[in-house]
Amino acid sequence: MPHTPRILWTDDEIDLLRPHVLFLEDKGYAVDTAANGADAINLVREQAYDLVLLDEQMPGMDGLETLTEIKRLRADVPVVMVTKSEEERLMEEALGERISDYLTKPVNPSQILLTCKRLLERTRLRQESTAQGYLQSFGEIGHAVDTARTADAWVTLYQRLVRYDMELQGDEGARQIFHDQYQKANRAFGQFVEDRYADWVATDRSRDDERPLLSHEVVAQHVLPHVEADDAPVVFFVIDCMRYDQWQMLRPLLQDRFDMQVDFHFGILPTATPYARNAIFSGLLPRDFVERFPQVWAGEDTEHSRNQHEELLLQQLVKRHRMQLNLRYDKLITTDDGRSFAQSVHNVTQHDLAAVVVNFVDILAHSRSDSDVLKELAPNEPAYRSLTRTWFEHSWLLEALQSLAAQGATVVLTTDHGAIRSLRSSKVIGDRETSTALRYKYGRNLQCDEEDAVFVRNPETFGLPQHSLSTNYIFAKEDFYFVYPTNFHHYENRYRDTMQHGGISMEEMMLPVATLTPKSRA
């Protein structure tokens, strides 16, 4: 049965308002009444209310005193103050979010009804409106998926899909339709990348307007121009494994301090830290990076062992651009690292360019894969996004960014790759030398279902290092993950519904580059 909203109306002349109470009850609300603040508090203590209507001027305990006690008992209940005059302090109370609204006496039934609907049903009405808007746009979005031929078209489509993904709540039917369409879009995006990626790698971006900015071009395009043009210090953040939808959750927490310009770059393949983040800091494709810095690439092939030289790579990149800069580099892995950075963030602005790698979001993605508790807290995409926002809202990183805004620093914030919730397995066959990642593999004589993956027989064409003459690469498309035939069902179940990266999907490849300019400099 649908929930019947329950209202508490407190007024010392409540008997005179009986017609208004009956009117609300006729409209489907359950209304309790109280003639004074003490009775209202007792009712709130015993009963959960969806809304409280509260007279400001009552004998004994007045409205504001009653409000304070109600909020102590039920901090989240919306309270509408009913007053005889529009006083400035009531507006201040509303702005301070102690009250949700106020009404001036005499009130009429329609006025009360509209206020109740707005406060009690706005979520449902907004959800219904969003679902209706999406269903009306279904055909248009489908056409956009079928006809997207450029990177810009895909970025525009992806932004639209993310907006619906974040807003489309409450209507399970509409969400299922959306899920199917989103999956179709990711399938088409995989084909788009398979068809175009070799051309992107082979073509200079200045000669092809339709070619997207790639990872290795981010610093030259979005960071160094600010160092040259701005008098202010520039701080470059790379938040490992941050998707665009996660950025959209963080953005509102920064908008009061910064003006923001958000662009996109496409993550290089594989969309994994050893490749993508080295590309960002070196300004080179993996193929050229390995040729120029073989000592960096040598050694154990793990997620982070090949990312220990990013400061050196950035120095070399700046040198190739014939710039002499006072550089600083920080890699923040633990919470203690982050707190220490935030406490001394004033030192960061003493450099022309500071680069900061933040590992927490990547740790969150991997921890969700390994922890039943985190998987319970974030069982789906909306919950995963909310978990990211909760961390950021109370994090040292937000504190540091606020401090940088106060110091007038320009902040460029991006990521090396995103991640996708991997839900479907795909069998792969390789020898014992094959790499171990779940969304991409390289090795000799790899075999897999080519419907599920992009198969790269000539790594050179994808800007990738060729470890031997017979090296192949495969990249999982959509939400597939690779599993070997041996103990297939065990590993299929183990890795299903984990956050993975390295393959080809909208989430992993279309990445925000946000330029944050402090409003204090405007």
Side-chain angles (χ1 to χ4, degrees), residues 23-213:
F23 178 77
L24 288 178
E25 290 177 338
D26 186 56
K27 295 297 182 181
Y29 298 103
V31 184
D32 292 339
T33 60
N36 57 68
D39 289 347
I41 290 167
N42 287 332
L43 287 169
V44 168
R45 188 178 286 116
E46 297 169 0
Q47 170 72 50
Y49 288 98
D50 299 294
L51 177 67
V52 174
L53 298 169
L54 183 59
D55 185 20
E56 182 200 4
Q57 296 181 1
M58 296 183 294
M61 182 180 287
D62 68 14
L64 291 178
E65 291 175 303
T66 306
L67 168 68
T68 298
E69 187 63 18
I70 287 173
K71 284 295 184 178
R72 188 186 70 79
L73 294 170
R74 309 274 186 184
D76 58 341
V77 65
V79 176
V80 176
M81 191 70 76
V82 184
T83 178
K84 290 182 178 178
S85 63
E86 294 186 18
E87 296 185 19
E88 183 177 353
R89 65 191 176 92
L90 283 177
M91 288 184 275
E92 291 174 353
E93 293 280 355
L95 291 172
E97 298 183 353
R98 290 187 67 204
I99 64 174
S100 300
D101 203 349
Y102 64 93
L103 297 172
T104 305
K105 289 185 175 182
V107 293
N108 63 62
S110 297
Q111 185 183 15
I112 292 288
L113 178 63
L114 286 174
T115 299
C116 292
K117 276 189 172 293
R118 183 175 63 80
L119 293 175
L120 294 175
E121 300 184 47
R122 60 185 171 185
T123 299
R124 178 184 61 80
L125 294 172
R126 184 169 61 246
Q127 289 173 349
E128 289 178 357
S129 177
T130 301
Q132 183 179 18
Y134 166 68
L135 294 173
Q136 289 174 345
S137 302
F138 176 83
E140 181 187 342
I141 294 173
H143 178 73
V145 170
D146 293 337
T147 59
R149 298 289 183 268
T150 67
D152 285 345
W154 273 106
V155 166
T156 299
L157 175 59
Y158 180 49
Q159 289 176 293
R160 189 174 186 183
L161 289 168
V162 166
R163 179 171 62 83
Y164 276 122
D165 190 26
M166 296 177 69
E167 295 178 358
L168 200 60
Q169 306 297 329
D171 188 326
E172 290 305 314
R175 275 211 66 85
Q176 184 58 54
I177 294 170
F178 173 80
H179 175 268
D180 294 343
Q181 187 168 55
Y182 191 98
Q183 192 173 66
K184 178 183 177 184
N186 242 340
R187 188 178 310 120
F189 179 74
Q191 188 62 56
F192 170 74
V193 172
E194 183 174 10
D195 293 342
R196 306 297 176 89
Y197 192 83
D199 291 336
W200 296 344
V201 168
T203 307
D204 189 295
R205 190 165 182 264
S206 63
R207 300 175 185 174
D208 184 358
D209 292 340
E210 294 187 352
R211 174 191 175 284
L213 187 78

Side-chain angles (χ1 to χ4, degrees), residues 215-219 278-285 313 317 320:
S215 302
H216 65 295
E217 298 160 326
V218 168
V219 171
N278 275 330
I280 288 174
F281 283 108
S282 69
L284 300 168
L285 288 164
L313 299 179
L317 170 58
R320 291 201 306 275

Side-chain angles (χ1 to χ4, degrees), residues 413-461:
L413 188 151
T414 191
T415 182
D416 47 0
H417 56 77
I420 189 168
R421 189 173 164 217
S422 298
L423 297 173
R424 291 181 289 174
S425 61
S426 181
K427 285 185 181 180
V428 62
I429 297 174
D431 61 26
R432 66 179 61 187
E433 302 299 322
T434 300
S435 61
T436 58
L438 294 175
R439 289 276 294 167
Y440 76 97
K441 291 188 182 296
Y442 63 83
R444 294 174 296 180
N445 304 315
L446 295 175
Q447 298 178 48
C448 67
D449 187 338
E450 297 194 22
E451 289 292 315
D452 306 339
V454 171
F455 203 109
V456 181
R457 292 173 174 81
N458 183 359
E460 175 82 12
T461 62

Side-chain angles (χ1 to χ4, degrees), residues 394-408:
H394 305 281
S395 72
W396 60 265
L397 179 55
L398 178 57
E399 178 187 341
L401 289 169
Q402 291 170 338
S403 296
L404 289 171
Q407 295 174 61

